[in-house]
Amino acid sequence: MSLAGVSCLVTGAGGFLGQRIVQLLLEEEEELAEIRLLDKAFSNEALGRFGKFQGKTEVKILEGDIRDVTFMLRACRGVSLVIHTASIIDTLGLIEKQMLWEVNVTGTQLLLEACAHCNVQYFIYTSSIEVTGPNYKGDPVFNGDEDTAYESILTFPYAQSKRLAEDSVLKADGQVLEDGSVLMTCALRSMYIFGEGCPFLQGHVDKCLLNKNVYLRFSRKEALVNPVYVGNVAWAHVQAAKALRAPQKAKHMRGQFYYISDDTPHMSYADLNYELTRELGFGIEPRLPMPLTMLYYFALLLEMVSFLLRPFVRYIPSTNRHLVTLLNTPFTFSYRKAQKDFGYVPRYTWEEAKQRTCQWIASMVPQRRLYLKSKAA
């Protein structure tokens, strides 16, 4: 099934993943009738990238807040497909829980309500591996799938907010719209996403530069995960959008979630950073700064200090127990179900993803060195 002639809304279109989804929709698809790009604010770089497109698809920029009901109704009117990537990502507890809930949970629910009012039939939600885990006990998963039994005990606000939002999306499948048609939904749970423009990767590179081109090891080598390249996650969204509009495929997809990974070798988060940049002469420390158990209790101590200081000052520790567990638990999942149900096949190989990401980092390093030097001065 093609997306030709479809009017599509992409939320979070100015973000790391959102921009890549938009790029694929504009460059690879048969001409959409219209694509609406929604975000709270767009960088000049993003606007410049969208402005270079010369196709027949009408591109409309919508800057506004996902919590604004009137704005969401205007954004959804006349649209048949919504790809919802907008959310606040927070692994350190930098964002107040109320704000996470307002954007990630309430914002998603308001968008679903707008879809019902505006007769939007197809809804794809960008979820996260964190809605699965790892749980606080650090129970591992090796090459799991959607049927793998796992005790998902979510204690961190970001993971909780994404799980509640995903639940809302999947439960909304089959909802009768105002024109009598029904809403069809699915969710894509991506692994950790890397690639050009990744803000987390840029942060790790900055720390590496400050440490004389050597990465601090924050995850043990045995903690294997399967990161996924941003181009492949974007491609999965496009393939899911096509399939959801095809009745024979939609009947298998509706109300379902899918793990989205690719053929990136399984490795720890720290070793991923190293693999992407070792050709640039970067190194990595051989072991954790302290034994894992000690690191966990050190994070607990930092959390206690943060709690005690809360009445006087807002102190956010550089790590926490959730992050220590997340980074040091083996946790890998297959994309077999996505391949079977809607034909997802990674568009980029690991070598291509690695080369593209390495080139981006290489182009960024001189500027980051100057920035960090001026900041230190």
Side-chain angles (χ1 to χ4, degrees):
M1 177 67 73
S2 166
L3 295 179
V6 168
S7 291
C8 174
L9 170 68
V10 179
T11 73
F16 169 48
L17 173 61
Q19 289 189 48
R20 292 300 289 265
I21 293 173
V22 171
Q23 180 182 338
L24 283 178
L25 288 171
L26 290 175
E27 295 180 357
E28 304 296 335
E29 262 309 307
E30 301 89 342
E31 297 150 4
L32 284 79
E34 178 187 23
I35 182 166
R36 301 178 188 178
L37 315 182
L38 186 153
D39 215 316
K40 191 166 186 179
F42 289 89
S43 66
N44 290 332
E45 180 184 2
L47 292 174
R49 185 174 292 116
F50 299 145
K52 292 178 182 177
F53 179 71
Q54 300 296 321
K56 295 181 180 179
T57 301
E58 180 181 358
V59 179
K60 187 178 293 184
I61 304 292
L62 301 174
E63 287 192 340
D65 197 319
I66 197 171
R67 297 167 294 175
D68 184 333
V69 175
T70 303
F71 174 68
M72 296 312 299
L73 287 170
R74 179 164 61 89
C76 290
R77 194 164 291 117
V79 164
S80 60
L81 166 67
V82 167
I83 298 177
H84 179 35
T85 78
S87 71
I88 295 176
I89 301 173
D90 181 29
T91 57
L92 280 176
L94 297 170
I95 309 298
E96 293 288 352
K97 185 174 180 178
Q98 181 180 348
M99 177 63 74
L100 278 174
W101 249 247
E102 287 180 1
V103 174
N104 293 358
V105 183
T106 305
T108 299
Q109 292 167 346
L110 290 175
L111 180 57
L112 287 167
E113 291 172 9
C115 288
H117 284 297
C118 299
N119 302 311
V120 177
Q121 283 189 278
Y122 310 103
F123 192 108
I124 298 171
Y125 177 64
T126 306
S127 190
S128 165
I129 186 59
E130 286 202 49
V131 308
T132 304
N135 57 31
Y136 72 89
K137 296 186 289 185
D139 292 330
V141 174
F142 298 95
N143 204 33
D145 59 27
E146 290 77 359
D147 295 323
T148 299
Y150 190 78
E151 191 178 10
S152 297
I153 308 168
L154 305 179
T155 59
F156 205 68
Y158 168 68
Q160 292 172 340
S161 72
K162 291 295 285 186
R163 184 57 181 264
L164 288 172
E166 183 191 275
D167 287 346
S168 296
V169 171
L170 300 184
K171 288 176 182 175
D173 182 78
Q175 180 179 351
V176 179
L177 307 178
E178 290 196 353
D179 65 358
S181 59
V182 297
L183 179 64
M184 304 181 197
T185 72
C186 69
L188 307 185
R189 292 184 186 176
S190 71
M191 308 296 115
Y192 168 75
I193 307 174
F194 72 92
E196 312 95 288
C198 176
F200 296 109
L201 184 52
Q202 180 174 306
H204 292 309
V205 169
D206 283 353
K207 291 176 183 177
C208 182
L209 294 174
L210 290 171
N211 196 43
K212 299 180 180 179
N213 293 356
V214 177
Y215 285 106
L216 298 172
R217 177 168 288 282
F218 51 81
S219 54
R220 57 198 178 108
K221 292 182 76 70
E222 301 82 8
L224 302 181
V225 293
N226 51 334
V228 58
Y229 179 57
V230 62
N232 288 327
V233 182
W235 184 233
H237 282 74
V238 174
Q239 290 182 304
K242 290 180 180 181
L244 203 56
R245 298 183 68 249
Q248 289 303 311
K249 291 183 178 180
K251 66 182 182 181
H252 299 292
M253 297 174 61
R254 291 181 50 185
Q256 299 291 308
F257 70 87
Y258 294 91
Y259 291 116
I260 303 300
S261 56
D262 57 17
D263 300 322
T264 298
H266 295 188
M267 66 187 88
S268 75
Y269 288 106
D271 288 299
L272 171 69
N273 294 336
Y274 171 61
E275 282 296 321
L276 292 172
T277 54
R278 65 176 179 173
E279 293 178 9
L280 303 177
F282 288 17
I284 187 170
E285 293 182 345
R287 60 185 65 87
L288 294 172
M290 61 185 77
L292 183 57
T293 301
M294 190 180 297
L295 186 59
Y296 184 87
Y297 283 108
F298 175 70
L300 172 60
L301 177 62
L302 293 180
E303 289 180 48
M304 292 172 63
V305 171
S306 176
F307 177 77
L308 293 172
L309 290 176
R310 191 171 300 167
F312 313 103
V313 64
R314 189 161 186 258
Y315 162 63
I316 305 298
S318 58
T319 190
N320 53 56
R321 287 170 295 167
H322 167 75
L323 195 56
V324 171
T325 303
L326 177 71
L327 298 176
N328 287 282
T329 300
F331 216 62
T332 60
F333 289 83
S334 165
Y335 61 82
R336 286 189 300 267
K337 184 179 178 183
Q339 186 175 32
K340 177 173 69 74
D341 284 5
F342 63 87
Y344 165 66
V345 176
R347 182 182 176 90
Y348 303 93
T349 66
W350 157 241
E351 289 303 323
E352 289 173 315
K354 180 179 176 180
Q355 181 182 24
R356 287 165 176 257
T357 307
C358 183
Q359 288 175 347
W360 168 68
I361 294 171
S363 69
M364 175 182 70
V365 164
Q367 182 182 359
R368 298 309 296 175
R369 284 191 195 278
L370 289 174
Y371 169 75
L372 294 169
K373 186 176 181 180
S374 65
K375 192 175 179 181

